[in-house]
Amino acid sequence: MDIKANLLQIKNSFHSTECQLIAVSKTKPLADLQAAYAAGIRDFGENKVQEIQTKQPEMPADTRWHMIGHLQSNKIKYIAPFVHLIHGVDSFKLLLEIDKQGKKIDRAIPVLLQIHIATEESKFGFDQEELDAMLTSSEFANLTYVQVQGLMGMATFTEDLDQIRSEFRGLKQLFEDLKHRSLPSFVTMKELSMGMSGDYQIAQEEGSTMVRIGSAIFGARNYLNP
Ligand SMILES: *Cc1c(COP(=O)(O)O)cnc(C)c1O
Protein backbone atom coordinates (compact mmCIF):
# COMPACT_ATOMS: atom_id res chain seq x y z
CA MET A 1 0.00 0.00 0.00
CA ASP A 2 1.64 3.23 -1.12
CA ILE A 3 0.07 5.61 1.37
CA LYS A 4 1.85 8.67 0.06
CA ALA A 5 0.76 7.99 -3.52
CA ASN A 6 -2.81 7.35 -2.41
CA LEU A 7 -2.88 10.63 -0.53
CA LEU A 8 -1.57 12.50 -3.52
CA GLN A 9 -4.15 10.94 -5.79
CA ILE A 10 -6.98 11.74 -3.36
CA LYS A 11 -5.85 15.33 -2.92
CA ASN A 12 -5.69 15.73 -6.69
CA SER A 13 -9.22 14.45 -7.03
CA PHE A 14 -10.61 16.93 -4.50
CA HIS A 15 -13.44 19.05 -5.79
CA SER A 16 -12.68 21.70 -3.19
CA THR A 17 -9.21 22.73 -2.02
CA GLU A 18 -10.77 24.11 1.16
CA CYS A 19 -12.10 20.75 2.25
CA GLN A 20 -10.17 19.15 5.08
CA LEU A 21 -8.96 15.56 4.83
CA ILE A 22 -9.24 13.35 7.91
CA ALA A 23 -7.22 10.17 7.48
CA VAL A 24 -9.23 7.38 9.05
CA SER A 25 -6.59 5.08 10.52
CA LYS A 26 -8.74 2.73 12.60
CA THR A 27 -7.35 -0.84 12.78
CA LYS A 28 -4.18 0.30 11.03
CA PRO A 29 -0.71 -0.06 12.58
CA LEU A 30 1.31 2.90 13.80
CA ALA A 31 3.69 2.61 10.83
CA ASP A 32 0.80 3.49 8.52
CA LEU A 33 -0.07 6.58 10.55
CA GLN A 34 3.59 7.59 10.54
CA ALA A 35 3.72 7.24 6.75
CA ALA A 36 0.66 9.46 6.41
CA TYR A 37 2.14 11.95 8.87
CA ALA A 38 5.38 12.05 6.86
CA ALA A 39 3.25 12.80 3.78
CA GLY A 40 1.81 15.84 5.55
CA ILE A 41 -1.33 14.52 7.24
CA ARG A 42 -2.04 15.89 10.72
CA ASP A 43 -5.69 14.90 11.17
CA PHE A 44 -6.43 11.28 12.02
CA GLY A 45 -9.79 9.62 12.60
CA GLU A 46 -10.29 6.70 14.95
CA ASN A 47 -13.46 5.03 16.18
CA LYS A 48 -12.30 3.26 19.33
CA VAL A 49 -11.22 5.08 22.46
CA GLN A 50 -8.77 2.37 23.41
CA GLU A 51 -7.09 2.52 20.03
CA ILE A 52 -6.70 6.32 20.21
CA GLN A 53 -5.24 5.92 23.67
CA THR A 54 -2.53 3.56 22.50
CA LYS A 55 -1.67 5.48 19.33
CA GLN A 56 -1.78 9.01 20.70
CA PRO A 57 1.38 8.91 22.85
CA GLU A 58 3.33 7.40 19.95
CA MET A 59 2.53 10.13 17.45
CA PRO A 60 3.99 13.68 17.26
CA ALA A 61 2.33 16.23 19.53
CA ASP A 62 0.79 18.20 16.69
CA THR A 63 -1.29 15.23 15.54
CA ARG A 64 -5.01 16.06 15.71
CA TRP A 65 -7.25 13.22 16.87
CA HIS A 66 -10.80 12.96 15.57
CA MET A 67 -13.18 10.58 17.29
CA ILE A 68 -15.45 9.46 14.46
CA GLY A 69 -17.18 6.41 15.88
CA HIS A 70 -20.03 5.80 18.25
CA LEU A 71 -18.77 6.97 21.61
CA GLN A 72 -19.73 5.46 24.96
CA SER A 73 -20.32 7.90 27.81
CA ASN A 74 -18.03 6.12 30.24
CA LYS A 75 -15.04 6.44 27.88
CA ILE A 76 -15.13 10.18 27.21
CA LYS A 77 -12.80 10.93 30.07
CA TYR A 78 -9.93 9.11 28.39
CA ILE A 79 -9.89 11.35 25.32
CA ALA A 80 -11.29 14.58 26.78
CA PRO A 81 -7.86 16.15 27.47
CA PHE A 82 -6.62 15.98 23.89
CA VAL A 83 -9.34 15.05 21.38
CA HIS A 84 -9.50 17.62 18.57
CA LEU A 85 -13.08 16.95 17.48
CA ILE A 86 -15.75 14.40 18.38
CA HIS A 87 -17.76 13.81 15.18
CA GLY A 88 -20.43 11.39 16.28
CA VAL A 89 -22.45 13.03 19.04
CA ASP A 90 -25.88 11.52 18.64
CA SER A 91 -27.73 12.16 21.90
CA PHE A 92 -28.20 14.85 24.48
CA LYS A 93 -27.12 12.37 27.13
CA LEU A 94 -23.73 12.06 25.46
CA LEU A 95 -23.42 15.82 25.08
CA LEU A 96 -24.15 16.23 28.81
CA GLU A 97 -21.47 13.73 29.68
CA ILE A 98 -18.93 15.46 27.41
CA ASP A 99 -19.84 18.74 29.12
CA LYS A 100 -19.26 17.13 32.51
CA GLN A 101 -15.86 15.74 31.53
CA GLY A 102 -14.87 19.06 29.96
CA LYS A 103 -15.76 20.84 33.16
CA LYS A 104 -13.54 18.51 35.21
CA ILE A 105 -10.49 19.50 33.20
CA ASP A 106 -11.66 23.03 32.31
CA ARG A 107 -11.58 22.40 28.58
CA ALA A 108 -14.39 23.17 26.16
CA ILE A 109 -14.58 20.11 23.91
CA PRO A 110 -15.31 20.58 20.18
CA VAL A 111 -18.04 18.32 18.81
CA LEU A 112 -20.22 17.78 15.77
CA LEU A 113 -23.82 16.61 15.98
CA GLN A 114 -24.41 13.45 14.00
CA ILE A 115 -27.57 13.59 11.92
CA HIS A 116 -29.31 10.47 10.68
CA ILE A 117 -29.55 10.93 6.90
CA ALA A 118 -29.38 7.33 5.68
CA THR A 119 -32.30 5.00 5.13
CA GLU A 120 -30.55 2.29 7.15
CA GLU A 121 -31.80 1.99 10.70
CA SER A 122 -28.38 0.79 11.80
CA LYS A 123 -26.76 4.17 11.41
CA PHE A 124 -26.66 6.54 14.36
CA GLY A 125 -27.73 10.14 14.61
CA PHE A 126 -30.42 12.63 15.52
CA ASP A 127 -33.54 12.85 13.41
CA GLN A 128 -35.07 16.30 12.80
CA GLU A 129 -37.52 16.07 15.66
CA GLU A 130 -34.97 14.97 18.25
CA LEU A 131 -32.62 17.69 17.08
CA ASP A 132 -35.25 20.40 17.34
CA ALA A 133 -36.32 19.22 20.78
CA MET A 134 -32.74 19.37 22.00
CA LEU A 135 -31.80 22.70 20.43
CA THR A 136 -34.80 24.43 21.98
CA SER A 137 -34.45 22.93 25.45
CA SER A 138 -33.16 24.93 28.40
CA GLU A 139 -30.88 22.06 29.43
CA PHE A 140 -29.12 22.45 26.11
CA ALA A 141 -28.69 26.20 26.58
CA ASN A 142 -27.02 25.53 29.93
CA LEU A 143 -24.12 23.55 28.53
CA THR A 144 -20.76 25.26 29.09
CA TYR A 145 -17.95 22.90 28.22
CA VAL A 146 -18.90 21.83 24.71
CA GLN A 147 -18.41 23.69 21.46
CA VAL A 148 -20.81 22.51 18.81
CA GLN A 149 -18.95 23.30 15.59
CA GLY A 150 -21.23 21.73 13.02
CA LEU A 151 -22.83 18.56 11.72
CA MET A 152 -21.74 15.10 10.62
CA GLY A 153 -23.58 12.50 8.58
CA MET A 154 -23.15 9.19 6.79
CA ALA A 155 -25.03 8.40 3.59
CA THR A 156 -26.71 5.09 2.90
CA PHE A 157 -24.38 2.32 1.73
CA THR A 158 -25.75 2.00 -1.79
CA GLU A 159 -24.75 2.09 -5.45
CA ASP A 160 -27.45 4.68 -6.06
CA LEU A 161 -25.42 7.86 -6.44
CA ASP A 162 -28.51 10.04 -6.72
CA GLN A 163 -29.70 8.82 -3.37
CA ILE A 164 -26.31 9.53 -1.78
CA ARG A 165 -26.27 12.98 -3.32
CA SER A 166 -29.76 13.75 -2.10
CA GLU A 167 -28.92 12.64 1.46
CA PHE A 168 -25.84 14.88 1.51
CA ARG A 169 -27.86 17.73 0.03
CA GLY A 170 -30.44 17.39 2.79
CA LEU A 171 -27.72 17.57 5.43
CA LYS A 172 -26.18 20.64 3.83
CA GLN A 173 -29.61 22.28 3.80
CA LEU A 174 -30.05 21.61 7.51
CA PHE A 175 -26.54 23.00 8.12
CA GLU A 176 -27.47 26.22 6.30
CA ASP A 177 -30.83 26.47 8.08
CA LEU A 178 -29.14 26.17 11.46
CA LYS A 179 -26.75 28.99 10.57
CA HIS A 180 -29.76 31.28 10.51
CA ARG A 181 -31.39 30.07 13.68
CA SER A 182 -30.77 31.80 16.96
CA LEU A 183 -28.86 29.25 18.99
CA PRO A 184 -26.68 29.40 22.11
CA SER A 185 -23.29 31.03 21.54
CA PHE A 186 -21.42 27.74 21.91
CA VAL A 187 -23.08 26.55 18.69
CA THR A 188 -21.45 27.57 15.41
CA MET A 189 -22.06 25.95 12.04
CA LYS A 190 -18.50 25.88 10.69
CA GLU A 191 -17.89 22.26 9.83
CA LEU A 192 -19.90 19.83 7.77
CA SER A 193 -18.29 16.40 8.07
CA MET A 194 -19.57 14.20 5.26
CA GLY A 195 -17.96 11.89 2.73
CA MET A 196 -15.89 8.70 2.97
CA SER A 197 -13.73 6.73 0.49
CA GLY A 198 -16.67 5.80 -1.71
CA ASP A 199 -18.57 9.07 -1.76
CA TYR A 200 -16.28 11.97 -0.84
CA GLN A 201 -16.43 13.58 -4.26
CA ILE A 202 -20.22 13.74 -4.18
CA ALA A 203 -20.03 15.03 -0.60
CA GLN A 204 -17.65 17.80 -1.64
CA GLU A 205 -19.86 18.79 -4.54
CA GLU A 206 -22.68 19.10 -2.01
CA GLY A 207 -20.68 21.34 0.34
CA SER A 208 -18.69 19.12 2.71
CA THR A 209 -15.93 20.89 4.68
CA MET A 210 -14.38 17.68 6.06
CA VAL A 211 -14.10 14.25 4.51
CA ARG A 212 -13.23 11.14 6.52
CA ILE A 213 -11.24 8.80 4.29
CA GLY A 214 -9.85 5.44 5.38
CA SER A 215 -9.59 2.57 2.93
CA ALA A 216 -8.72 4.74 -0.09
CA ILE A 217 -5.59 5.82 1.82
CA PHE A 218 -4.63 2.79 3.88
CA GLY A 219 -6.24 -0.08 1.99
CA ALA A 220 -9.05 -2.36 3.13
CA ARG A 221 -9.41 -2.93 6.84
CA ASN A 222 -8.83 -6.52 7.90
CA TYR A 223 -11.98 -6.93 9.92
CA LEU A 224 -15.68 -6.59 9.25
CA ASN A 225 -16.62 -3.59 11.30
CA PRO A 226 -17.40 -0.42 9.37
C1 LIG B 1 -14.57 3.91 8.98
C2 LIG B 1 -15.22 5.22 8.85
C3 LIG B 1 -14.89 6.09 7.81
C4 LIG B 1 -13.92 5.76 6.70
O1 LIG B 1 -14.44 4.79 5.85
P1 LIG B 1 -13.75 4.43 4.43
O2 LIG B 1 -14.88 3.93 3.62
O3 LIG B 1 -12.71 3.41 4.71
O4 LIG B 1 -13.18 5.68 3.89
C5 LIG B 1 -15.51 7.33 7.79
N1 LIG B 1 -16.40 7.69 8.73
C6 LIG B 1 -16.75 6.88 9.74
C7 LIG B 1 -17.74 7.35 10.73
C8 LIG B 1 -16.18 5.61 9.84
O5 LIG B 1 -16.54 4.81 10.84
Side-chain angles (χ1 to χ4, degrees):
M1 206 27 76
D2 191 340
I3 291 170
K4 190 175 174 189
N6 291 345
L7 282 167
L8 204 65
Q9 200 188 354
I10 290 166
K11 281 281 190 184
N12 284 335
S13 70
F14 265 26
H15 175 80
S16 153
T17 51
E18 307 274 278
C19 190
Q20 218 188 320
L21 170 60
I22 320 276
V24 176
S25 49
K26 62 192 187 194
T27 80
K28 294 295 171 185
L30 203 56
D32 286 4
L33 281 76
Q34 285 160 343
Y37 185 94
I41 294 293
R42 293 296 175 268
D43 293 88
F44 290 86
E46 293 280 344
N47 70 343
K48 293 217 161 56
V49 167
Q50 211 189 338
E51 204 173 329
I52 299 191
Q53 276 183 284
T54 48
K55 288 173 173 173
Q56 188 259 345
E58 305 295 330
M59 289 291 288
D62 64 347
T63 304
R64 293 185 288 264
W65 298 95
H66 295 252
M67 177 66 199
I68 61 167
H70 187 63
L71 182 58
Q72 288 169 285
S73 300
N74 60 349
K75 302 223 169 121
I76 297 163
K77 57 177 177 284
Y78 301 117
I79 57 168
F82 63 84
V83 69
H84 183 70
L85 184 61
I86 300 176
H87 290 235
V89 174
D90 59 359
S91 72
F92 181 64
K93 185 175 160 272
L94 189 58
L95 209 49
L96 254 187
E97 190 57 32
I98 295 171
D99 191 69
K100 191 172 132 192
Q101 296 302 331
K103 185 173 184 173
K104 277 192 193 163
I105 56 170
D106 194 28
R107 176 175 188 242
I109 300 175
V111 306
L112 303 178
L113 302 177
Q114 184 169 358
I115 309 297
H116 190 271
I117 56 170
T119 52
E120 295 139 330
E121 278 296 323
S122 59
K123 294 210 166 124
F124 295 105
F126 289 95
D127 63 30
Q128 283 277 5
E129 240 171 88
E130 289 166 342
L131 183 71
D132 273 332
M134 179 177 82
L135 293 178
T136 54
S137 73
S138 54
E139 291 95 330
F140 180 75
N142 287 334
L143 296 172
T144 349
Y145 286 92
V146 289
Q147 283 178 359
V148 178
Q149 299 190 337
L151 306 179
M152 179 267 208
M154 290 171 87
T156 303
F157 187 70
T158 172
E159 306 274 287
D160 183 348
L161 302 184
D162 291 336
Q163 182 181 347
I164 293 171
R165 184 177 297 281
S166 116
E167 290 174 1
F168 284 149
R169 190 167 291 182
L171 185 58
K172 164 73 169 173
Q173 186 61 55
L174 176 62
F175 180 71
E176 293 302 323
D177 290 349
L178 290 176
K179 281 184 185 173
H180 301 106
R181 286 248 307 252
S182 84
L183 293 166
S185 60
F186 63 84
V187 184
T188 50
M189 286 293 133
K190 272 194 317 202
E191 303 294 353
L192 184 56
S193 169
M194 58 183 197
M196 316 187 357
S197 293
D199 56 20
Y200 71 89
Q201 283 164 310
I202 301 175
Q204 288 182 336
E205 285 162 17
E206 296 303 326
S208 171
T209 70
M210 282 182 166
V211 288
R212 311 173 311 271
I213 300 182
S215 43
I217 300 172
F218 298 109
R221 287 176 289 277
N222 35 9
Y223 75 143
L224 289 170
N225 183 2

